[in-house]
Amino acid sequence: MTATSQFDIVIIGAGPAGLSLARSLSGTALQIAIVEMQSETILANPPEDGRDIALTHTSEKLMHDLGMWAHVPQDQIGTIRDAKVVNGQSPFALHFDSTGSGADYLGRIVPNHLIRQSAYNVVKDQANVTLICDSEVTTVDTNSAEGRVGLKDGTVLRAPLVVAADSRFSGTRRKMGIPANSLDFGRVVIVCEMEHELSHENIATECFHFDQTLAILPMYGNKSSVVVTLPSANAEAVMNMEPQAFADDIAQRFGGSLGKMTLVTKRHPYPLVGVLAKQFVATRFALVGDSAVGMHPVTAHGFNLGLSGAKLLADQIIEAENKGTDIGATAGLKRYETAHRRVVLPLYHGTNALVKLYTDTSVPGRILRDAALRVGSFLPPVKKRILHQLTHIERHAR
Ligand SMILES: Cc1cc2nc3c(=O)[nH]c(=O)nc-3n(C[C@H](O)[C@H](O)[C@H](O)COP(=O)(O)OP(=O)(O)OC[C@H]3O[C@@H](n4cnc5c(N)ncnc54)[C@H](O)[C@@H]3O)c2cc1C
């Protein structure tokens, strides 16, 4: 016989997006199930994965409000005060400094595994949240009356609302028949952490060479998150370099400005694929986090969007709950979709255009890139808009 359990919301995926949505709803009377493939031991102690997440002021505020910030060790939080974009050997750099933005810094940077851990910590003891770990979702379907989520062990979870937060390669999105545009950049990003002799002075630097893009994000102390983007065909050779040879190469590409550099974590490769779901909602169903939009990491928006999207959806659900209306009604879900897409679409398409410009190795491409940096340097409105995006706290997060 098949066991059936009834909830108000079933969230698929206990990544940072799914968990932060559950935490946003923990003050309600709603019964929430979160289904996760991984074990609870892994959620409690996620392994280091090389990703260091640059967080906007809005995300820092949301993490505070959800109680997550208090679970991140203070000495593991880095501050990005300024950012600089450099095109190879060109003397023109696009410089973003926090001066004049009304904020003391552009953003924070926190290792991804600590974000995941903080999200788990704020959810694990919530009375209205049931974590179902070591459990894979195999079927999902919804109709005008309810959603049904089938697990590998035969259990069926029923709820008036199902939310997928199961990564950019979301199997649930596919099962629900929601198409997605996906863009394979044909590149791999290799991420790791390095210590260095000299201070980074809290400046993030993005440097475009013709064969690689390098980014250094300042972490706490004399430590940086290093992000190397290169054509997929070259990735294996770079992954196989001797650790010190790799570190020396990075140090030299940054002109020795950080002194001697040393690799202090493993190198982690990620194939670069951007994904945008054609719709974020369906009948009694919503997508959040990377399952709605999986960003190229160059503009560091993925989790920032995951967090703000989860907040938008939570607001709709809480409003319906307070009014005693249907939390899975199409009208509320559509309001979430409209508000989130308004933020997502310009960032998704803008990021992809930027990636195209900065990975074009042709001579016209390089000239255009140089011109773009000059225009960016000399056109205050362009810089102002980017700075605003980083440092401004979104109205819904206040
Ligand atoms: C190299 C790199 C650097 C990045 N840097 C930044 C940055 O600086 N700033 C930023 O904002 N973002 C950044 N991001 C993006 C950020 O890491 C992601 O947006 C974020 O981790 C996505 O969270 P999520 O919860 O949506 O998905 P995930 O973290 O992918 O979690 C999905 C969860 O769903 C579970 N799951 C999947 N399928 C099933 C199933 N069938 N049944 C049950 N469970 C399932 C998985 O086990 C997983 O736990 C970066 C990404 C990369 C790759």
Side-chain angles (χ1 to χ4, degrees), residues 93-239:
L94 185 54
H95 208 126
F96 298 98
D97 64 39
S98 44
T99 321
S101 69
D104 299 337
Y105 56 92
L106 296 180
R108 302 288 194 195
I109 179 158
V110 175
N112 192 43
H113 68 284
L114 296 180
I115 293 181
R116 294 188 71 124
Q117 187 177 47
S118 71
Y120 168 76
N121 280 330
V122 295
V123 165
K124 68 179 166 66
D125 296 323
Q126 300 296 339
N128 66 332
V129 180
T130 306
L131 263 171
I132 306 172
C133 292
D134 286 314
S135 189
E136 203 176 323
V137 168
T138 51
T139 60
V140 186
D141 65 274
T142 64
N143 58 37
S144 58
E146 65 169 4
R148 293 164 64 89
V149 175
L151 310 186
K152 209 171 184 174
D153 68 0
T155 306
V156 176
L157 311 178
R158 299 169 62 179
L161 178 62
V162 176
V163 180
D166 56 345
S167 87
R168 70 185 62 202
F169 304 111
S170 170
T172 313
R173 184 180 64 215
R174 193 167 298 119
K175 287 184 178 78
M176 286 295 294
I178 296 181
N181 280 323
S182 97
L183 187 55
D184 188 333
F185 294 97
R187 292 185 166 242
V188 168
V189 65
I190 297 175
V191 281
C192 57
E193 291 174 6
M194 287 192 185
E195 285 177 354
H196 33 81
E197 277 175 332
L198 306 176
S199 169
H200 45 49
E201 291 169 353
N202 295 325
I203 301 175
T205 308
E206 186 118 22
C207 189
F208 296 94
H209 297 262
F210 68 91
D211 60 338
Q212 295 190 355
T213 303
L214 286 182
I216 291 243
L217 304 171
M219 302 184 73
Y220 41 90
N222 274 7
K223 188 166 160 181
S224 290
S225 173
V226 173
V227 185
V228 184
T229 309
L230 70 179
S232 306
N234 305 352
E236 200 181 332
V238 173
M239 285 295 291

Side-chain angles (χ1 to χ4, degrees), residues 12-19 35-38 43 49-56 59 109 112 116 132 135-138 151 165-172 175 189-191 217 227 268 270-272 288-306:
I12 302 167
L19 287 170
V35 186
E36 169 58 49
M37 281 196 303
Q38 298 180 70
L43 293 189
D49 60 16
R51 301 185 204 186
D52 294 299
I53 306 294
L55 297 164
T56 60
S59 294
I109 179 158
N112 192 43
R116 294 188 71 124
I132 306 172
S135 189
E136 203 176 323
V137 168
T138 51
L151 310 186
D166 56 345
S167 87
R168 70 185 62 202
F169 304 111
S170 170
T172 313
K175 287 184 178 78
V189 65
I190 297 175
V191 281
L217 304 171
V227 185
H268 299 263
Y270 292 91
L272 287 174
V288 294
D290 276 17
S291 71
V293 57
M295 298 283 295
H296 187 296
V298 69
T299 50
H301 278 304
F303 177 59
N304 290 303
L305 287 174

